[in-house]
Short mmCIF file of all heavy atoms in Angstrom, two decimals:
data_model
loop_
_atom_site.label_atom_id
_atom_site.label_comp_id
_atom_site.label_asym_id
_atom_site.label_seq_id
_atom_site.Cartn_x
_atom_site.Cartn_y
_atom_site.Cartn_z
N THR A 209 2.71 -4.99 10.68
CA THR A 209 3.29 -5.46 11.94
C THR A 209 4.79 -5.14 11.97
O THR A 209 5.30 -4.66 12.99
CB THR A 209 3.04 -6.96 12.11
OG1 THR A 209 1.63 -7.20 12.14
CG2 THR A 209 3.68 -7.50 13.40
N HIS A 210 5.48 -5.40 10.88
CA HIS A 210 6.91 -5.11 10.79
C HIS A 210 7.15 -3.64 11.03
O HIS A 210 8.07 -3.26 11.78
CB HIS A 210 7.42 -5.55 9.41
CG HIS A 210 8.86 -5.25 9.15
ND1 HIS A 210 9.87 -6.03 9.66
CD2 HIS A 210 9.45 -4.25 8.46
CE1 HIS A 210 11.04 -5.52 9.28
NE2 HIS A 210 10.82 -4.45 8.55
N ALA A 211 6.38 -2.77 10.38
CA ALA A 211 6.54 -1.32 10.56
C ALA A 211 6.35 -0.92 12.01
O ALA A 211 7.17 -0.18 12.58
CB ALA A 211 5.56 -0.57 9.65
N LEU A 212 5.29 -1.44 12.61
CA LEU A 212 5.00 -1.07 14.00
C LEU A 212 6.08 -1.57 14.96
O LEU A 212 6.40 -0.91 15.95
CB LEU A 212 3.62 -1.58 14.41
CG LEU A 212 2.45 -0.88 13.71
CD1 LEU A 212 1.12 -1.57 14.03
CD2 LEU A 212 2.41 0.60 14.04
N GLU A 213 6.66 -2.74 14.65
CA GLU A 213 7.76 -3.27 15.48
C GLU A 213 8.97 -2.33 15.43
O GLU A 213 9.78 -2.31 16.34
CB GLU A 213 8.15 -4.68 15.02
CG GLU A 213 7.14 -5.72 15.43
CD GLU A 213 7.39 -7.08 14.79
OE1 GLU A 213 8.28 -7.21 13.91
OE2 GLU A 213 6.69 -8.04 15.18
N LEU A 214 9.09 -1.60 14.34
CA LEU A 214 10.19 -0.63 14.18
C LEU A 214 9.78 0.78 14.65
O LEU A 214 10.51 1.74 14.44
CB LEU A 214 10.65 -0.57 12.71
CG LEU A 214 11.25 -1.86 12.15
CD1 LEU A 214 11.48 -1.73 10.66
CD2 LEU A 214 12.53 -2.22 12.88
N ASN A 215 8.58 0.86 15.25
CA ASN A 215 8.01 2.16 15.71
C ASN A 215 7.82 3.12 14.55
O ASN A 215 8.06 4.33 14.69
CB ASN A 215 8.87 2.78 16.81
CG ASN A 215 8.82 1.96 18.09
OD1 ASN A 215 7.76 1.53 18.50
ND2 ASN A 215 9.98 1.72 18.66
N ILE A 216 7.43 2.58 13.41
CA ILE A 216 7.13 3.39 12.22
C ILE A 216 5.66 3.18 11.88
O ILE A 216 5.19 2.05 11.83
CB ILE A 216 8.02 2.95 11.03
CG1 ILE A 216 9.51 3.18 11.38
CG2 ILE A 216 7.65 3.69 9.74
CD1 ILE A 216 10.48 2.61 10.37
N ASN A 217 4.94 4.29 11.67
CA ASN A 217 3.51 4.15 11.42
C ASN A 217 3.08 4.55 10.01
O ASN A 217 1.89 4.67 9.73
CB ASN A 217 2.69 4.91 12.46
CG ASN A 217 2.80 6.40 12.31
OD1 ASN A 217 3.65 6.90 11.57
ND2 ASN A 217 1.93 7.13 13.00
N LYS A 218 4.03 4.74 9.11
CA LYS A 218 3.67 5.12 7.75
C LYS A 218 4.31 4.13 6.75
O LYS A 218 5.50 3.84 6.82
CB LYS A 218 4.17 6.52 7.42
CG LYS A 218 3.73 7.00 6.03
CD LYS A 218 4.42 8.29 5.61
CE LYS A 218 4.03 9.46 6.47
NZ LYS A 218 4.61 10.74 5.96
N ILE A 219 3.48 3.64 5.85
CA ILE A 219 3.93 2.76 4.78
C ILE A 219 3.65 3.46 3.46
O ILE A 219 2.54 3.95 3.23
CB ILE A 219 3.24 1.38 4.81
CG1 ILE A 219 3.53 0.67 6.14
CG2 ILE A 219 3.67 0.52 3.62
CD1 ILE A 219 2.82 -0.64 6.31
N VAL A 220 4.64 3.55 2.61
CA VAL A 220 4.48 4.14 1.29
C VAL A 220 4.82 3.12 0.22
O VAL A 220 5.56 2.17 0.47
CB VAL A 220 5.35 5.42 1.10
CG1 VAL A 220 4.96 6.51 2.06
CG2 VAL A 220 6.82 5.10 1.23
N MET A 221 4.27 3.35 -0.96
CA MET A 221 4.54 2.43 -2.06
C MET A 221 4.25 3.15 -3.37
O MET A 221 3.66 4.24 -3.37
CB MET A 221 3.65 1.18 -1.95
CG MET A 221 2.17 1.51 -2.06
SD MET A 221 1.11 0.08 -1.93
CE MET A 221 1.87 -1.03 -3.06
N THR A 222 4.68 2.55 -4.46
CA THR A 222 4.38 3.10 -5.78
C THR A 222 3.71 2.02 -6.62
O THR A 222 4.02 0.84 -6.50
CB THR A 222 5.66 3.59 -6.50
OG1 THR A 222 6.60 2.51 -6.57
CG2 THR A 222 6.27 4.78 -5.77
N VAL A 223 2.75 2.47 -7.45
CA VAL A 223 2.03 1.57 -8.36
C VAL A 223 1.98 2.27 -9.71
O VAL A 223 1.77 3.49 -9.77
CB VAL A 223 0.59 1.29 -7.86
CG1 VAL A 223 -0.17 0.40 -8.82
CG2 VAL A 223 0.61 0.68 -6.46
N ILE A 224 2.14 1.51 -10.78
CA ILE A 224 2.04 2.08 -12.11
C ILE A 224 0.67 2.72 -12.28
O ILE A 224 -0.36 2.11 -12.00
CB ILE A 224 2.29 1.03 -13.20
CG1 ILE A 224 3.70 0.46 -13.08
CG2 ILE A 224 2.07 1.60 -14.59
CD1 ILE A 224 3.99 -0.73 -13.99
N SER A 225 0.64 3.97 -12.72
CA SER A 225 -0.57 4.78 -12.73
C SER A 225 -1.74 4.18 -13.52
O SER A 225 -2.90 4.38 -13.13
CB SER A 225 -0.27 6.18 -13.28
OG SER A 225 0.27 6.07 -14.59
N ILE A 226 -1.46 3.45 -14.56
CA ILE A 226 -2.57 2.89 -15.37
C ILE A 226 -3.05 1.55 -14.83
O ILE A 226 -3.94 0.95 -15.40
CB ILE A 226 -2.21 2.80 -16.86
CG1 ILE A 226 -1.00 1.93 -17.11
CG2 ILE A 226 -2.04 4.19 -17.43
CD1 ILE A 226 -0.67 1.75 -18.60
N ARG A 227 -2.53 1.11 -13.69
CA ARG A 227 -2.97 -0.13 -13.04
C ARG A 227 -4.13 0.18 -12.10
O ARG A 227 -4.05 -0.01 -10.88
CB ARG A 227 -1.81 -0.76 -12.26
CG ARG A 227 -0.58 -1.16 -13.08
CD ARG A 227 -0.83 -2.30 -14.06
NE ARG A 227 -1.57 -3.39 -13.47
CZ ARG A 227 -1.03 -4.36 -12.72
NH1 ARG A 227 0.24 -4.38 -12.46
NH2 ARG A 227 -1.79 -5.32 -12.24
N GLU A 228 -5.22 0.67 -12.66
CA GLU A 228 -6.35 1.14 -11.87
C GLU A 228 -6.92 0.08 -10.93
O GLU A 228 -7.29 0.38 -9.80
CB GLU A 228 -7.43 1.70 -12.80
CG GLU A 228 -6.98 2.94 -13.53
CD GLU A 228 -7.95 3.42 -14.57
OE1 GLU A 228 -9.09 2.90 -14.62
OE2 GLU A 228 -7.60 4.33 -15.34
N GLU A 229 -7.00 -1.17 -11.39
CA GLU A 229 -7.55 -2.23 -10.55
C GLU A 229 -6.64 -2.51 -9.34
O GLU A 229 -7.12 -2.81 -8.25
CB GLU A 229 -7.80 -3.50 -11.37
CG GLU A 229 -6.56 -4.30 -11.76
CD GLU A 229 -5.65 -3.65 -12.84
OE1 GLU A 229 -6.03 -2.62 -13.44
OE2 GLU A 229 -4.54 -4.18 -13.05
N LEU A 230 -5.34 -2.39 -9.55
CA LEU A 230 -4.41 -2.60 -8.44
C LEU A 230 -4.44 -1.44 -7.45
O LEU A 230 -4.45 -1.66 -6.24
CB LEU A 230 -2.99 -2.79 -9.03
CG LEU A 230 -1.92 -3.34 -8.08
CD1 LEU A 230 -2.37 -4.63 -7.42
CD2 LEU A 230 -0.62 -3.54 -8.85
N ILE A 231 -4.51 -0.23 -7.97
CA ILE A 231 -4.64 0.94 -7.09
C ILE A 231 -5.93 0.84 -6.27
O ILE A 231 -5.92 1.09 -5.07
CB ILE A 231 -4.59 2.25 -7.92
CG1 ILE A 231 -3.18 2.44 -8.51
CG2 ILE A 231 -4.98 3.45 -7.06
CD1 ILE A 231 -3.09 3.53 -9.56
N ALA A 232 -7.01 0.40 -6.91
CA ALA A 232 -8.29 0.23 -6.18
C ALA A 232 -8.15 -0.82 -5.08
O ALA A 232 -8.70 -0.64 -3.99
CB ALA A 232 -9.40 -0.15 -7.16
N TRP A 233 -7.41 -1.90 -5.34
CA TRP A 233 -7.20 -2.93 -4.32
C TRP A 233 -6.47 -2.34 -3.12
O TRP A 233 -6.84 -2.56 -1.97
CB TRP A 233 -6.41 -4.11 -4.93
CG TRP A 233 -6.29 -5.30 -4.03
CD1 TRP A 233 -7.19 -6.31 -3.89
CD2 TRP A 233 -5.20 -5.61 -3.13
NE1 TRP A 233 -6.73 -7.22 -2.95
CE2 TRP A 233 -5.51 -6.81 -2.49
CE3 TRP A 233 -4.02 -4.97 -2.83
CZ2 TRP A 233 -4.67 -7.40 -1.56
CZ3 TRP A 233 -3.18 -5.56 -1.88
CH2 TRP A 233 -3.50 -6.75 -1.27
N TYR A 234 -5.41 -1.57 -3.39
CA TYR A 234 -4.68 -0.95 -2.29
C TYR A 234 -5.55 0.09 -1.55
O TYR A 234 -5.46 0.19 -0.33
CB TYR A 234 -3.37 -0.33 -2.77
CG TYR A 234 -2.30 -1.35 -3.05
CD1 TYR A 234 -1.86 -1.61 -4.34
CD2 TYR A 234 -1.74 -2.09 -2.00
CE1 TYR A 234 -0.87 -2.57 -4.57
CE2 TYR A 234 -0.77 -3.04 -2.24
CZ TYR A 234 -0.34 -3.28 -3.53
OH TYR A 234 0.63 -4.23 -3.74
N ASN A 235 -6.37 0.80 -2.28
CA ASN A 235 -7.29 1.76 -1.66
C ASN A 235 -8.22 1.02 -0.68
O ASN A 235 -8.45 1.50 0.44
CB ASN A 235 -8.13 2.50 -2.67
CG ASN A 235 -7.37 3.51 -3.50
OD1 ASN A 235 -7.84 3.91 -4.58
ND2 ASN A 235 -6.21 3.94 -3.05
N ARG A 236 -8.73 -0.14 -1.09
CA ARG A 236 -9.61 -0.92 -0.23
C ARG A 236 -8.88 -1.41 1.02
O ARG A 236 -9.51 -1.76 2.02
CB ARG A 236 -10.19 -2.10 -0.99
CG ARG A 236 -11.24 -1.70 -2.01
CD ARG A 236 -12.02 -2.92 -2.55
NE ARG A 236 -11.20 -3.93 -3.17
CZ ARG A 236 -10.79 -3.95 -4.44
NH1 ARG A 236 -11.12 -2.94 -5.25
NH2 ARG A 236 -10.09 -4.96 -4.90
N HIS A 237 -7.56 -1.44 0.97
CA HIS A 237 -6.74 -1.89 2.11
C HIS A 237 -6.09 -0.74 2.86
O HIS A 237 -5.11 -0.93 3.56
CB HIS A 237 -5.74 -2.95 1.65
CG HIS A 237 -6.41 -4.21 1.23
ND1 HIS A 237 -6.87 -4.43 -0.04
CD2 HIS A 237 -6.77 -5.30 1.95
CE1 HIS A 237 -7.47 -5.60 -0.11
NE2 HIS A 237 -7.41 -6.15 1.10
N GLY A 238 -6.66 0.46 2.67
CA GLY A 238 -6.26 1.59 3.48
C GLY A 238 -5.20 2.51 2.91
O GLY A 238 -4.81 3.48 3.56
N PHE A 239 -4.73 2.25 1.71
CA PHE A 239 -3.73 3.11 1.09
C PHE A 239 -4.43 4.24 0.33
O PHE A 239 -5.47 4.01 -0.31
CB PHE A 239 -2.84 2.33 0.11
CG PHE A 239 -1.82 1.48 0.82
CD1 PHE A 239 -2.16 0.20 1.28
CD2 PHE A 239 -0.54 1.93 1.04
CE1 PHE A 239 -1.24 -0.60 1.93
CE2 PHE A 239 0.39 1.13 1.68
CZ PHE A 239 0.05 -0.11 2.13
#
C-alpha cells in the first residue's frame, strides 16, 4: 500500500541465500 501511494509498483528485498524457508515464504507472497 505504501509503495502504491508513492506510485511505485516494484518492491525489492534481499534475503540470506541459505535461508531457504524464508525465501519460500516470500515466494508464497509473490516475491
